[in-house]
């Protein structure tokens, strides 16, 4: 199986420093800082990248499960909201809320929910983040 990589560079102190994050594939490189992570400054942050990875992984896992169940999806859209909180002397990702909407011909709402829950539990990113509360809101609809 392939290995994937990413790199980060940080210069300076925690609050005044700055850095860059880059994907090994070259598909993305962005700046990050204390202000992009804990404030509203432009740039990215590790939690945003975790959210993107989780939304992408979940959507692919759900697509696979729906296809195996005989209901290939037309479209799946997933948003991941990652919450970081101060816990004790540090910070912790305490919660990830996945919200997905999918157009899946011929499936019942109950069967769709079952597949969505299975995707949440089975996607590799969910498994890697198992120490974090992961909540799912799945909606079957025509997009």
């Amino acid at each position: 199986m392939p290995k994937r990589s990413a790199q980060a560079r940080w210069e300076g102190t925690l609050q005044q420093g700055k850095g860059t994050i880059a994907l090994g594939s070259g598909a993305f490189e962005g700046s990050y800082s204390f202000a992009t992570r804990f404030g509203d400054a432009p740039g990215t942050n590790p939690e945003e990248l975790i959210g993107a990875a989780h939304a992408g992984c979940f959507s692919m896992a759900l697509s696979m499960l729906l296809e195996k169940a005989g209901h290939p999806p037309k479209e799946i859209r997933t948003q991941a909201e990652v919450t970081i909180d101060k816990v004790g002397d540090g910070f912790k990702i305490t919660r990830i809320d996945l919200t997905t909407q999918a157009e899946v011909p011929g499936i019942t709402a109950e069967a769709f929910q079952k597949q969505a829950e299975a995707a949440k539990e089975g996607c590799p990113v969910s498994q890697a983040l198992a120490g974090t509360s992961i909540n799912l809101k799945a909606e079957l609809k025509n997009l």
Side-chain angles (χ1 to χ4, degrees), residues 7 12 42 47 61 73 81 90 97 112 118:
Q7 300 80 39
E47 291 73 30
E81 186 173 283
D97 293 308
F112 173 72

Side-chain angles (χ1 to χ4, degrees), residues 1-21:
M1 296 304 291
K3 292 183 181 180
R4 305 296 183 208
S5 67
Q7 300 80 39
R9 180 177 175 177
W10 187 260
E11 298 172 341
T13 64
L14 174 64
Q15 291 193 15
Q16 276 67 49
K18 61 182 178 179
T20 56
I21 297 174

